[in-house]
C-alpha cells in the first residue's frame, strides 16, 4: 500500500536561507509521527509545505495519491493545491478561531463554504465533532468565553469536520497554560486511536513516547534521526538527539 504522505527531495529557501534540505519522508496510513527538534530546525516549515501554506522550492509532495511538484504554475497547479488542502487538516499553535462566530459556527464554516455541504447536514457534523472533543455543551459560546484549551479543542474539531485524510499539528500545546495542556493531548490521543494519520510537531516528550509510532528529529533543516520512540529516547544515535533529549529531561525546552 502506498504511503498516505510521500515527500521527495524537498527543499525550501527563504531568500538565501536554506531552511529544508533535500528531505524525503513517507508516512503510512494510520501512522502517528512526531517531529522534535530545537527552534529553527525546520519542523514547522516542513508541516506548512505539506499543505502548501509555504510553497516548496524544490521536490514533490504527495498526499493520499495526489502528487504536486514544486515550480508548478497556473490553474492546474492551484487546483492541485486546493485538492491537497481538502485532504489535510491543520491545527496551529494559535487557535485561529473566528472571534465573531460561536464554537459551532467555527466548526461548520469549512464544510459549508469550502465543500458546499447542506447547512443542516453541516450542523449535525459540527455537533458530532464538538461532542468528540468534549465541547458540545459549549457550542453556542464565542471564543472569548472559552479557555485556551477549549479553543484548541474547537480548532481540532474544526479541522476534523473537513474529514481529512491527514492531520497536521504544529506545536498545538505551546500557547497553553500548563494546566490546560493535558486536555488537548487527550483529544489528540483519541484522534490517533481512531486511526487518523498524524504528523505532530511537539515539545511534549511524554506524548511522543506514548502515542507516536515513529519520532523524527530535525536539526539544521535535515532529519537526523528516525526511529521508534523507545529506541530513540533510550538509545539515540546522533549526539544532537541525545543533547536535545537531555535538555527536555532537565526542563530546558
Amino acid at each position: 500500500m502506498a504511503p498516505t504522505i510521500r515527500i521527495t527531495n524537498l527543499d525550501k529557501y527563504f531568500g538565501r536561507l536554506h531552511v529544508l534540505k533535500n528531505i524525503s519522508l513517507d508516512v503510512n496510513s494510520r501512522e502517528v509521527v512526531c517531529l522534535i527538534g530545537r527552534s529553527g530546525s525546520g519542523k514547522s516549515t516542513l508541516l506548512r509545505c505539506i499543505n502548501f501554506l509555504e510553497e516548496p522550492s524544490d521536490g514533490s509532495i504527495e498526499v493520499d495519491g495526489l502528487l504536486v511538484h514544486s515550480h508548478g504554475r497556473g490553474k492546474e497547479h492551484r487546483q492541485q493545491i486546493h485538492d491537497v488542502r481538502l485532504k489535510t487538516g491543520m491545527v496551529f499553535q494559535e487557535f485561529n478561531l473566528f472571534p465573531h462566530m460561536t464554537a459551532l459556527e467555527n466548526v461548520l464554516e469549512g464544510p459549508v463554504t469550502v465543500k458546499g455541504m447542506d447547512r443542516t447536514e453541516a450542523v449535525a457534523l459540527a455537533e458530532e465533532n464538538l461532542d468528540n472533543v468534549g465541547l458540545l455543551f459549549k457550542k453556542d459560546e464565542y471564543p472569548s468565553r472559552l479557555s485556551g484549551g477549549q479553543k484548541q479543542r474547537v480548532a481540532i474539531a474544526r479541522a476534523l469536520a473537513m474529514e481529512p485524510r491527514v492531520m497536521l499539528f504544529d506545536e498545538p500545546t505551546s500557547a497553553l497554560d500548563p494546566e490546560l495542556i493535558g486536555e488537548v493531548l487527550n483529544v489528540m490521543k483519541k484522534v490517533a486511536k481512531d486511526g487518523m494519520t498524524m504528523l505532530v510537531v511537539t515539545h511534549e516528550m511524554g506524548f511522543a513516547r506514548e502515542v507516536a509510532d515513529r519520532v523524527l528529529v530535525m536539526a539544521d533543516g535535515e532529519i537526523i534521526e528516525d526511529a521508534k520512540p523507545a529506541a530513540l529516547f533510550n538509545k539515540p544515535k546522533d549526539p544532537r538527539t541525545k543533547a536535545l533529549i537531555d535538555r527536555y529531561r532537565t526542563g530546558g525546552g
Side-chain angles (χ1 to χ4, degrees):
M1 183 181 290
T4 301
I5 301 173
R6 169 160 281 171
I7 299 168
T8 307
N9 304 129
L10 180 69
D11 282 278
K12 177 62 183 175
Y13 288 87
F14 290 110
R16 299 175 67 178
L17 185 64
H18 199 177
V19 180
L20 297 176
K21 302 171 183 175
N22 195 36
I23 286 181
S24 294
L25 169 67
D26 286 355
V27 180
N28 293 318
S29 176
R30 304 174 71 93
E31 193 173 26
V32 178
V33 177
C34 283
L35 277 165
I36 65 173
R38 296 195 178 195
S39 295
S41 60
K43 309 181 300 297
S44 294
T45 301
L46 176 57
L47 240 59
R48 293 172 67 85
C49 282
I50 292 172
N51 68 354
F52 292 87
L53 289 174
E54 298 290 352
E55 188 84 28
S57 302
D58 208 353
S60 66
I61 291 170
E62 185 175 350
V63 178
D64 195 35
L66 291 175
L67 178 63
V68 186
H69 293 280
S70 60
H71 306 300
R73 295 289 183 272
K75 185 177 180 180
E76 183 181 357
H77 184 66
R78 290 193 298 273
Q79 184 63 48
Q80 288 176 331
I81 290 173
H82 173 76
D83 292 344
V84 164
R85 286 176 176 163
L86 286 178
K87 291 177 177 280
T88 54
M90 188 152 184
V91 178
F92 301 87
Q93 296 178 38
E94 299 295 338
F95 325 115
N96 295 345
L97 299 179
F98 295 113
H100 63 288
M101 292 183 178
T102 65
L104 182 70
E105 289 167 341
N106 266 280
V107 177
L108 65 83
E109 176 72 8
V112 170
T113 61
V114 178
K115 298 177 84 172
M117 186 179 289
D118 172 78
R119 186 176 176 85
T120 301
E121 186 182 348
V123 167
L125 179 66
E127 289 182 341
E128 178 185 343
N129 279 283
L130 283 172
D131 193 32
N132 285 340
V133 301
L135 285 175
L136 183 57
F137 74 107
K138 293 283 189 180
K139 69 176 185 177
D140 296 323
E141 296 284 3
Y142 289 89
S144 61
R145 304 262 305 181
L146 301 175
S147 70
Q150 289 170 339
K151 290 176 188 175
Q152 194 62 294
R153 285 152 63 194
V154 171
I156 294 171
R158 177 180 60 183
L160 290 172
M162 294 295 289
E163 301 177 311
R165 297 284 293 149
V166 173
M167 283 286 285
L168 309 174
F169 294 86
D170 187 9
E171 298 191 34
T173 60
S174 64
L176 300 178
D177 294 332
E179 67 271 16
L180 302 176
I181 289 173
E183 66 185 68
V184 173
L185 293 179
N186 285 337
V187 168
M188 292 171 63
K189 289 174 188 177
K190 184 177 185 296
V191 173
K193 190 175 181 181
D194 289 342
M196 178 61 70
T197 306
M198 294 168 57
L199 198 53
V200 184
V201 173
T202 186
H203 292 294
E204 299 295 331
M205 296 299 107
F207 176 86
R209 275 180 177 273
E210 180 184 348
V211 182
D213 297 296
R214 289 156 57 205
V215 179
L216 310 184
V217 184
M218 290 193 68
D220 302 316
E222 299 176 302
I223 296 171
I224 61 169
E225 201 148 352
D226 178 350
K228 291 188 177 297
L232 187 124
F233 287 108
N234 294 329
K235 288 188 176 179
K237 295 177 181 177
D238 193 292
R240 290 171 291 180
T241 302
K242 185 178 186 306
L244 179 71
I245 293 168
D246 287 345
R247 280 183 72 217
Y248 284 123
R249 283 175 177 156
T250 57

